[in-house]
Coordinates of all heavy atoms in Angstrom, one line a residue:
F230 N 84.1 1.2 44.9 CA 84.4 1.7 43.5 C 84.5 0.5 42.6 O 84.8 -0.6 43.0 CB 85.8 2.3 43.5 CG 85.9 3.6 44.2 CD1 84.9 4.1 45.0 CD2 87.1 4.4 44.1 CE1 85.0 5.3 45.7 CE2 87.2 5.6 44.7 CZ 86.2 6.1 45.5
T231 N 84.1 0.7 41.3 CA 84.1 -0.3 40.3 C 84.8 0.3 39.0 O 84.3 1.3 38.5 CB 82.7 -0.9 40.0 OG1 82.1 -1.4 41.1 CG2 82.8 -2.0 38.9
I232 N 85.8 -0.4 38.6 CA 86.5 0.1 37.3 C 85.9 -0.8 36.2 O 85.7 -2.0 36.4 CB 88.0 -0.1 37.4 CG1 88.7 0.6 36.2 CG2 88.4 -1.5 37.6 CD1 90.2 0.7 36.4
S233 N 85.7 -0.2 35.0 CA 85.3 -0.9 33.9 C 85.7 -0.2 32.6 O 86.2 0.9 32.7 CB 83.7 -1.1 33.9 OG 83.1 0.2 33.8
R234 N 85.6 -0.9 31.5 CA 86.0 -0.3 30.2 C 85.1 -0.7 29.1 O 84.5 -1.8 29.1 CB 87.5 -0.7 29.9 CG 87.7 -2.1 29.6 CD 89.2 -2.5 29.6 NE 89.9 -1.8 28.6 CZ 91.2 -1.6 28.5 NH1 92.0 -2.1 29.5 NH2 91.8 -1.0 27.5
D235 N 84.9 0.2 28.1 CA 84.1 -0.1 26.9 C 85.1 0.1 25.8 O 85.3 1.2 25.3 CB 82.9 0.8 26.8 CG 82.0 0.5 25.6 OD1 82.5 -0.1 24.7 OD2 80.9 1.0 25.6
N236 N 85.6 -1.1 25.3 CA 86.6 -1.0 24.2 C 86.0 -0.4 22.9 O 86.8 0.2 22.2 CB 87.2 -2.4 24.0 CG 88.2 -2.7 25.1 OD1 88.8 -1.9 25.8 ND2 88.4 -4.0 25.3
G237 N 84.8 -0.7 22.7 CA 84.2 -0.2 21.5 C 84.0 1.3 21.5 O 84.1 2.0 20.4
A238 N 83.9 1.9 22.7 CA 83.8 3.4 22.8 C 85.1 4.0 23.3 O 85.1 5.2 23.5 CB 82.7 3.7 23.9
N239 N 86.2 3.2 23.4 CA 87.5 3.8 23.8 C 87.4 4.5 25.1 O 87.9 5.6 25.2 CB 88.1 4.6 22.7 CG 88.6 3.8 21.5 OD1 88.9 4.4 20.5 ND2 88.6 2.5 21.6
T240 N 86.7 4.0 26.1 CA 86.4 4.7 27.3 C 86.6 3.9 28.5 O 86.2 2.7 28.5 CB 84.9 5.3 27.3 OG1 84.7 6.1 26.1 CG2 84.7 6.1 28.5
L241 N 87.2 4.4 29.5 CA 87.4 3.8 30.8 C 86.5 4.5 31.8 O 86.3 5.7 31.7 CB 88.9 4.0 31.3 CG 89.2 3.5 32.7 CD1 89.3 2.0 32.7 CD2 90.5 4.2 33.1
Y242 N 85.9 3.8 32.8 CA 85.0 4.3 33.7 C 85.4 4.0 35.2 O 86.1 3.0 35.4 CB 83.6 3.7 33.5 CG 83.0 4.0 32.2 CD1 83.0 3.0 31.2 CD2 82.4 5.2 31.9 CE1 82.4 3.3 30.0 CE2 81.8 5.5 30.7 CZ 81.9 4.5 29.7 OH 81.3 4.7 28.5
L243 N 85.0 4.8 36.1 CA 85.1 4.5 37.5 C 83.8 4.9 38.2 O 83.5 6.1 38.3 CB 86.3 5.3 38.1 CG 86.6 4.9 39.6 CD1 87.1 3.5 39.7 CD2 87.6 5.9 40.2
Q244 N 83.1 3.9 38.6 CA 81.8 4.1 39.4 C 82.2 4.2 40.8 O 82.8 3.3 41.4 CB 80.8 3.0 39.2 CG 79.6 3.1 40.0 CD 78.7 4.3 39.5 OE1 78.5 4.5 38.4 NE2 78.3 5.1 40.5
M245 N 81.9 5.3 41.5 CA 82.2 5.5 42.9 C 81.0 5.7 43.7 O 80.2 6.6 43.5 CB 83.1 6.8 43.0 CG 84.4 6.8 42.1 SD 85.5 8.1 42.5 CE 84.5 9.5 42.0
N246 N 80.8 4.8 44.7 CA 79.6 4.9 45.6 C 80.1 5.0 47.0 O 81.3 4.8 47.3 CB 78.8 3.6 45.4 CG 78.3 3.3 44.1 OD1 77.9 4.3 43.3 ND2 78.2 2.1 43.6
S247 N 79.2 5.4 47.9 CA 79.5 5.6 49.3 C 80.7 6.5 49.5 O 81.6 6.1 50.3 CB 79.6 4.2 50.0 OG 78.5 3.4 49.8
L248 N 80.7 7.6 48.8 CA 81.9 8.5 48.9 C 82.1 9.1 50.2 O 81.1 9.4 51.0 CB 81.7 9.6 47.8 CG 82.0 9.1 46.4 CD1 81.5 10.1 45.4 CD2 83.5 8.9 46.2
R249 N 83.3 9.2 50.6 CA 83.8 9.8 51.9 C 84.6 11.0 51.7 O 85.2 11.2 50.6 CB 84.6 8.7 52.6 CG 83.9 7.4 52.8 CD 84.9 6.3 53.2 NE 84.3 5.0 53.4 CZ 85.0 3.9 53.5 NH1 86.3 3.9 53.4 NH2 84.3 2.7 53.6
P250 N 84.7 11.9 52.7 CA 85.5 13.1 52.5 C 87.0 12.8 52.1 O 87.6 13.5 51.4 CB 85.4 13.8 53.9 CG 84.1 13.3 54.4 CD 83.9 11.9 53.9
E251 N 87.5 11.7 52.6 CA 88.9 11.3 52.3 C 89.1 10.9 50.8 O 90.2 10.7 50.4 CB 89.4 10.2 53.2 CG 88.5 9.0 53.3 CD 87.6 9.0 54.5 OE1 87.0 10.0 54.8 OE2 87.4 7.9 55.1
D252 N 88.0 10.7 50.1 CA 88.1 10.4 48.7 C 88.3 11.7 47.8 O 88.5 11.6 46.6 CB 86.8 9.8 48.1 CG 86.6 8.4 48.7 OD1 87.6 7.6 48.8 OD2 85.4 8.1 49.1
T253 N 88.3 12.9 48.5 CA 88.5 14.1 47.8 C 89.9 14.2 47.2 O 90.9 14.0 47.9 CB 88.3 15.3 48.7 OG1 86.9 15.3 49.2 CG2 88.6 16.6 48.1
A254 N 90.0 14.4 45.9 CA 91.3 14.4 45.2 C 91.0 14.7 43.7 O 89.9 14.8 43.3 CB 91.9 13.0 45.3
V255 N 92.1 14.9 43.0 CA 92.0 15.0 41.6 C 92.2 13.5 41.1 O 93.2 12.9 41.5 CB 93.1 15.9 40.9 CG1 93.1 15.8 39.4 CG2 92.9 17.3 41.4
Y256 N 91.4 13.1 40.2 CA 91.4 11.7 39.7 C 91.9 11.7 38.3 O 91.4 12.4 37.4 CB 90.0 11.1 39.8 CG 89.6 10.6 41.2 CD1 89.3 11.6 42.1 CD2 89.6 9.3 41.5 CE1 89.0 11.2 43.4 CE2 89.2 8.9 42.8 CZ 89.0 9.9 43.7 OH 88.6 9.5 45.0
Y257 N 92.9 10.9 38.0 CA 93.5 10.8 36.7 C 93.4 9.3 36.2 O 93.4 8.4 36.9 CB 95.0 11.0 36.8 CG 95.4 12.4 37.3 CD1 95.6 12.6 38.7 CD2 95.6 13.5 36.5 CE1 96.0 13.8 39.2 CE2 96.0 14.7 37.0 CZ 96.2 14.8 38.3 OH 96.6 16.1 38.8
C258 N 93.2 9.2 34.8 CA 93.4 7.9 34.2 C 94.8 7.8 33.6 O 95.4 8.8 33.2 CB 92.3 7.6 33.2 SG 92.2 8.7 31.8
A259 N 95.3 6.6 33.5 CA 96.6 6.4 33.0 C 96.7 5.1 32.2 O 95.9 4.2 32.4 CB 97.7 6.3 34.1
A260 N 97.6 5.0 31.2 CA 97.6 3.9 30.3 C 99.1 3.4 30.1 O 100.0 4.1 30.2 CB 97.1 4.3 28.9

Side-chain angles (χ1 to χ4, degrees):
F230 292 8
T231 302
I232 190 171
S233 62
R234 64 194 297 165
D235 183 340
N236 286 335
N239 289 168
T240 304
L241 177 74
Y242 301 100
L243 185 67
Q244 178 67 47
M245 305 188 295
N246 300 324
S247 302
L248 283 162
R249 305 165 180 168
E251 55 263 40
D252 294 318
T253 296
V255 177
Y256 284 71
Y257 302 89
C258 63

